[in-house]
Amino acid sequence: MARILTITLNPALDLSVETPDLALGRVNSTGRTHIEPAGKGINLGRVLKRLGHEVVLSGLLGADNAGPFERLFADEGLEDRFVRVPGDSRTNIKLAEQGGRVTDLNGVSFDTPADAASRLQFRLAGLIDDCNAIVIAGSLPRGWAPAQLAELIRFCQRGGAPVWLDASGDALTAGIEARPFGVKPNHEELAEWAGRPLPNLTAQADAGRQLQQSGIAHVVISRGGDGVLWLNPRRDLLARAPQVPVTSTVCAGDTLLAGLIHGELSGLDDHTCLQQATALSAECVRHFGVGHPDADDIEQLQQQTRVTPWPDTELSGEASS
């Protein structure tokens, strides 16, 4: 299998809380709760490791609460190459209501030291030449300018491996300027980047093609319960996932991208690659945490995932609805 480097600049301890519909301003009872180290690159790395790859994790990590992260990395066989910085990595609260709505309460990150970017580049210099793919994912900590993200992408591109970006807001806008190999916005993040509403698949596809025309080969648009649109240089595909009970959507996008990168590096054809990645993402939303490739019914979920060409799709009304 492949050796993959993921970079997380703003890790977090995620406290996920399952709850009935929230009554604001009142006392609410909770169901299950779950806390674990997270951050998009860490989540991606965990899924890729479960899929059989060798995974190296890097980025910035608060030294004052690094313990839970270090235990997770050791337990799951993830190579820890994070740069420690003073302070705590943030704590996020994810409120998952029974109807599937998730409310995020994201905490404040550590302050990025002035030398953090140079220290990280020094750490990565010994890693980027020995990887089959690199993923930079997640938000930016305080003091890390969006332009520095573009610089980081360009630095990683020197190693020759494809560099994927999963970011939003100013980080996505700045990162796109560095022309990564692939990006994975959700439909809301894509609309924010485009600066206009994208109410249907056609509008989303048009915005995605703008990104391709700028020099980005792969654009993966996650659309929540409506599936995934993958624009790639070979052919564009639309996936519709099976209907499953939703507990939390927090790690679904990370699981999707991990599954797609796995398929690409494993030489799967595009149809199978997207089918497996979408099914794995559907498996993920049924519980807290990242997807389980070894779930008992994963093959059934794959069989129930429908992948068709886009725009030559048989899904009636999908192009304009």
Side-chain angles (χ1 to χ4, degrees), residues 97-140:
E97 297 177 69
Q98 287 180 344
R101 184 175 67 173
V102 177
T103 300
D104 291 346
L105 302 175
N106 288 342
V108 177
S109 76
F110 45 73
D111 290 308
T112 304
D115 65 347
S118 59
R119 290 175 60 199
L120 179 59
Q121 287 191 9
F122 182 80
R123 178 68 55 85
L124 295 175
L127 300 174
I128 60 175
D129 293 334
D130 192 31
C131 291
N132 301 104
I134 300 171
V135 190
I136 302 174
S139 61
L140 305 179

Side-chain angles (χ1 to χ4, degrees), residues 32 90 162 171 207 230 254:
R32 291 174 297 170
R90 62 200 172 124
W230 179 19
D254 306 330

Side-chain angles (χ1 to χ4, degrees), residues 201-202 205 209 229 231 236-238 308-313 318-320:
L201 250 176
T202 299
R209 290 192 181 101
L229 179 63
L231 308 178
D236 300 335
L237 295 172
L238 177 68
T308 57
W310 170 262
D312 183 21
T313 176
E318 185 65 34
S320 59

Side-chain angles (χ1 to χ4, degrees), residues 74-314:
D75 289 345
E76 301 205 9
L78 302 163
E79 184 177 337
D80 175 10
R81 302 300 295 272
F82 271 95
V83 172
R84 270 56 171 180
V85 297
D88 289 322
S89 295
R90 62 200 172 124
T91 298
N92 296 335
I93 302 173
K94 314 288 186 181
L95 301 175
E97 297 177 69
Q98 287 180 344
R101 184 175 67 173
V102 177
T103 300
D104 291 346
L105 302 175
N106 288 342
V108 177
S109 76
F110 45 73
D111 290 308
T112 304
D115 65 347
S118 59
R119 290 175 60 199
L120 179 59
Q121 287 191 9
F122 182 80
R123 178 68 55 85
L124 295 175
L127 300 174
I128 60 175
D129 293 334
D130 192 31
C131 291
N132 301 104
I134 300 171
V135 190
I136 302 174
S139 61
L140 305 179
R142 289 189 299 180
W144 188 288
Q148 290 179 286
L149 178 63
E151 181 181 350
L152 178 62
I153 293 170
R154 295 187 183 100
F155 179 84
C156 290
Q157 288 169 335
R158 299 176 191 175
V163 178
W164 288 81
L165 174 66
D166 186 359
S168 61
D170 291 341
L172 176 61
T173 300
I176 285 169
E177 295 300 315
R179 306 295 182 263
F181 178 76
V183 295
K184 193 218 70 63
N186 63 35
H187 62 286
E188 294 173 341
E189 293 164 348
L190 184 63
E192 182 181 3
W193 169 81
R196 62 182 187 275
L198 302 175
N200 54 52
L201 250 176
T202 299
Q204 294 161 16
D206 288 345
R209 290 192 181 101
Q210 283 184 255
L211 290 174
Q212 284 188 305
Q213 291 165 4
S214 74
I216 298 172
H218 294 263
V219 180
V220 182
I221 305 169
S222 54
R223 308 177 63 241
D226 292 326
V228 183
L229 179 63
W230 179 19
L231 308 178
N232 76 51
R234 298 176 292 271
R235 59 174 176 168
D236 300 335
L237 295 172
L238 177 68
R240 294 297 293 267
Q243 296 297 310
V244 296
V246 177
T247 295
S248 173
T249 61
V250 170
C251 295
D254 306 330
T255 298
L256 170 70
L257 183 54
L260 200 70
I261 292 172
H262 163 73
E264 280 273 293
L265 293 175
S266 301
L268 299 180
D269 65 86
D270 292 342
H271 182 284
T272 304
C273 179
L274 182 57
Q275 183 182 45
Q276 291 188 1
T278 304
L280 185 56
S281 182
E283 192 285 327
C284 173
V285 304
R286 302 184 301 186
H287 54 80
F288 292 131
V290 300
H292 298 302
D294 58 351
D296 292 340
D297 62 345
I298 193 66
E299 291 187 7
Q300 181 180 353
L301 291 174
Q302 291 173 12
Q303 293 169 1
Q304 295 171 351
T305 300
R306 186 177 183 187
V307 176
T308 57
W310 170 262
D312 183 21
T313 176
E314 299 174 0

